[in-house]
């Protein structure tokens, strides 16, 4: 079992590491309102891919099972779950609960 | 010791490459549908179907759960079929696309994520001279390998920023089970066209792969061929 606040910590920790690696202070100081992708975002598409790969690994380590964060439904939502930290957090909670009812 | 994952290690080029890597001190993981005859302390085999995305993802996740890093992925598993285009059963075309292209796609995607986390890695997709030669009688096979070539070029662009190199290595007919069903005259003709009249032995194919492994000047996204492509 993993809570929303634990998932948020995972995301913020990964963003902090990426921010250091990419020299982007805004990512180091990320909050729930930080934009991840799209206009005025600090991650480019490759950065987002890296973040997703890192988070899949983190969730796998925490839950002891495979988690895929990319599926057709996620990609076709009107509000992309990858647009902002809070959206991504809610999406991860949803994915984790879906696959572990 | 460096780590490699090779698909299709039960026989042919995959097995020969695995044995060579093991002899050079590598740890090798093999994904294969059938059991290999390789017996080595540093060889780990997983019997699985690479056309099944979830199975491949799970197998690669097990590696990362065990803190295995991968320096090299060789997408080698594949099949061929000789048929006149108009007589090629749809099921044959579908099966070749599924194994040659989708099998490579699933493995590349799963291992790609692992390598992105590492920020390094080399991915080799095995391809064929049949694509640039547009060989008659191999439409379904050529189309599936052309898809692999396109995958190689796009993957190279997307993964380069993460320190990952993706290349294709193409061969003419190599002396394996894959080419046994092809007529000798047809093989001779292909070998003539690529400037290798004596054909290509498994040993030569493996040496070519090693030459690229040891190269300091690999161009990501490039398709390298053993033989002359007009």
């Amino acid at each position: 079992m993993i809570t929303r606040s634990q998932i948020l910590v995972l995301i913020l920790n990964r963003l902090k590491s990426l921010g250091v690696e990419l020299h982007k202070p805004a990512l180091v100081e990320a909050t729930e309102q930080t934009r991840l992708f799209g206009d005025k975002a600090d991650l480019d598409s490759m950065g987002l891919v890296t973040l997703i790969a890192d988070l899949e690994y983190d969730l796998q380590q925490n839950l002891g099972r495979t988690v895929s964060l990319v599926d057709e439904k996620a990609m076709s939502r009107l509000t992309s779950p990858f647009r902002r930290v809070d959206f991504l957090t809610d999406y991860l909670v949803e994915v984790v609960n879906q696959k572990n009812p | 010791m460096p780590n490699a994952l090779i698909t299709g290690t039960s026989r042919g080029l995959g097995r020969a490459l695995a044995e060579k890597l093991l002899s050079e001190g590598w740890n090798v993981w093999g994904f294969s549908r059938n059991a290999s005859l390789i017996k080595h302390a540093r060889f780990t085999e997983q019997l699985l179907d690479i056309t099944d995305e979830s199975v491949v993802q799970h197998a690669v996740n097990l590696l990362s759960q065990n803190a295995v890093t991968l320096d090299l992925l060789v997408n080698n598993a594949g099949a061929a079929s000789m048929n006149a285009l108009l007589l090629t059963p749809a099921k044959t075309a579908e099966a070749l696309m599924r194994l040659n292209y989708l099998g490579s796609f699933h493995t590349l995607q799963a291992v790609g994520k692992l390598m992105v986390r590492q920020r390094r890695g080399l991915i080799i997709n095995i391809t064929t001279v049949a694509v640039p030669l547009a060989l008659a009688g191999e439409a379904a096979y050529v189309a599936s390998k052309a898809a692999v070539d396109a995958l190689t070029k796009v993957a190279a662009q997307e993964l380069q920023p993460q320190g990952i190199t993706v290349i294709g290595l193409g061969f003419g007919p190599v002396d394996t089970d894959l080419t046994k069903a092809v007529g000798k005259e047809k093989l001779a003709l292909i070998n003539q066209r690529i400037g290798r009249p004596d054909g290509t032995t498994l040993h030569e194919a493996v040496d070519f792969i090693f030459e690229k492994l040891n190269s300091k000047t690999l161009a990501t996204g490039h398709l390298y061929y053993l033989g002359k492509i007009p």
Side-chain angles (χ1 to χ4, degrees):
Chain A
M1 182 63 185
I2 186 167
T3 65
R4 187 184 187 282
S5 57
Q6 288 172 319
I7 287 175
L8 177 60
V9 169
L10 290 179
I11 296 171
L12 295 179
N13 283 344
R14 283 298 183 181
L15 285 174
K16 190 174 181 181
S17 300
L18 271 176
V20 171
E21 185 179 337
L22 301 173
H23 307 292
K24 296 204 170 172
L27 293 178
V28 177
E29 306 291 333
T31 67
E32 284 202 55
Q33 302 307 310
T34 299
R35 285 179 173 272
L36 294 173
F37 195 63
D39 290 345
K40 299 176 187 172
D42 282 296
L43 283 178
D44 60 12
S45 58
M46 289 300 103
L48 184 64
V49 168
T50 306
L51 176 66
I52 290 171
D54 288 341
L55 287 172
E56 283 184 351
Y57 177 75
D58 290 342
L59 289 173
Q60 180 185 308
Q61 293 299 101
N62 272 274
L63 300 169
R65 61 185 169 87
T66 301
V67 175
S68 175
L69 299 183
V70 182
D71 63 22
E72 303 276 348
K73 285 181 186 171
M75 291 304 179
S76 59
R77 289 184 183 190
L78 284 176
T79 304
S80 168
F82 305 112
R83 207 174 73 187
R84 227 170 53 188
V85 170
D86 53 351
F87 295 161
L88 181 61
T89 308
D90 291 337
Y91 173 63
L92 264 57
V93 170
E94 192 182 315
V95 169
V96 166
N97 287 333
Q98 261 177 8
K99 296 191 174 176
N100 190 21
Chain B
M1 282 184 287
N3 298 332
L5 170 60
I6 307 172
T7 64
T9 41
S10 64
R11 57 185 179 170
L13 183 58
R15 178 180 163 188
L17 177 61
E19 288 173 335
K20 174 74 171 173
L21 286 168
L22 289 165
S23 74
E24 298 280 331
W26 288 62
N27 298 305
V28 179
W29 280 260
F31 283 2
S32 197
R33 271 184 300 192
N34 302 304
S36 163
L37 295 175
I38 301 172
K39 302 291 178 203
H40 196 288
R42 281 183 278 103
F43 180 67
T44 308
E45 187 170 54
Q46 299 215 37
L47 300 184
L48 54 80
D49 179 0
I50 59 164
T51 68
D52 187 328
E53 179 190 8
S54 60
V55 166
V56 173
Q57 187 69 56
H58 180 68
V60 173
N61 284 345
L62 282 180
L63 294 182
S64 55
Q65 274 176 359
N66 290 314
V68 173
T69 57
L70 285 177
D71 304 279
L72 171 67
L73 164 66
V74 182
N75 271 316
N76 161 74
S81 179
M82 299 286 294
N83 281 299
L85 169 61
L86 301 186
L87 302 178
T88 301
K91 280 190 175 175
T92 300
E94 190 179 329
L96 289 179
M97 191 59 87
R98 191 170 290 280
L99 177 59
N100 294 346
Y101 168 62
L102 277 181
S104 298
F105 182 90
H106 295 326
T107 313
L108 191 154
Q109 195 174 50
V111 173
K113 286 179 181 176
L114 187 152
M115 288 182 171
V116 161
R117 294 198 298 271
Q118 301 171 175
R119 311 289 195 267
R120 65 181 173 82
L122 171 63
I123 296 173
I124 295 175
N125 292 328
I126 300 297
T127 184
T128 170
V129 300
V131 177
L133 295 180
L135 286 181
E138 300 190 17
Y141 175 62
V142 166
S144 67
K145 283 297 193 178
V148 171
D149 292 351
L151 177 67
T152 299
K153 292 175 184 175
V154 176
Q157 288 194 55
E158 291 200 14
L159 300 179
Q160 186 173 30
Q162 322 288 357
I164 300 165
T165 300
V166 187
I167 60 168
L169 296 185
F171 300 94
V174 180
D175 187 18
T176 66
D177 288 348
L178 203 70
T179 57
K180 273 184 181 166
V182 186
K184 284 186 179 174
E185 285 181 8
K186 169 101 178 172
L187 290 179
L189 196 63
I190 300 168
N191 285 327
Q192 286 288 350
R193 287 180 70 182
I194 62 172
R196 297 182 64 83
D198 295 329
T200 301
T201 65
L202 263 181
H203 184 75
E204 290 168 329
V206 169
D207 280 353
F208 183 67
I209 297 173
F210 259 77
E211 176 195 318
K212 297 306 172 195
L213 270 180
N214 294 323
S215 171
K216 303 285 184 199
T217 56
L218 285 181
T220 194
H222 196 78
L223 306 175
Y224 297 93
Y225 294 100
L226 180 56
K228 293 175 188 168
I229 298 301

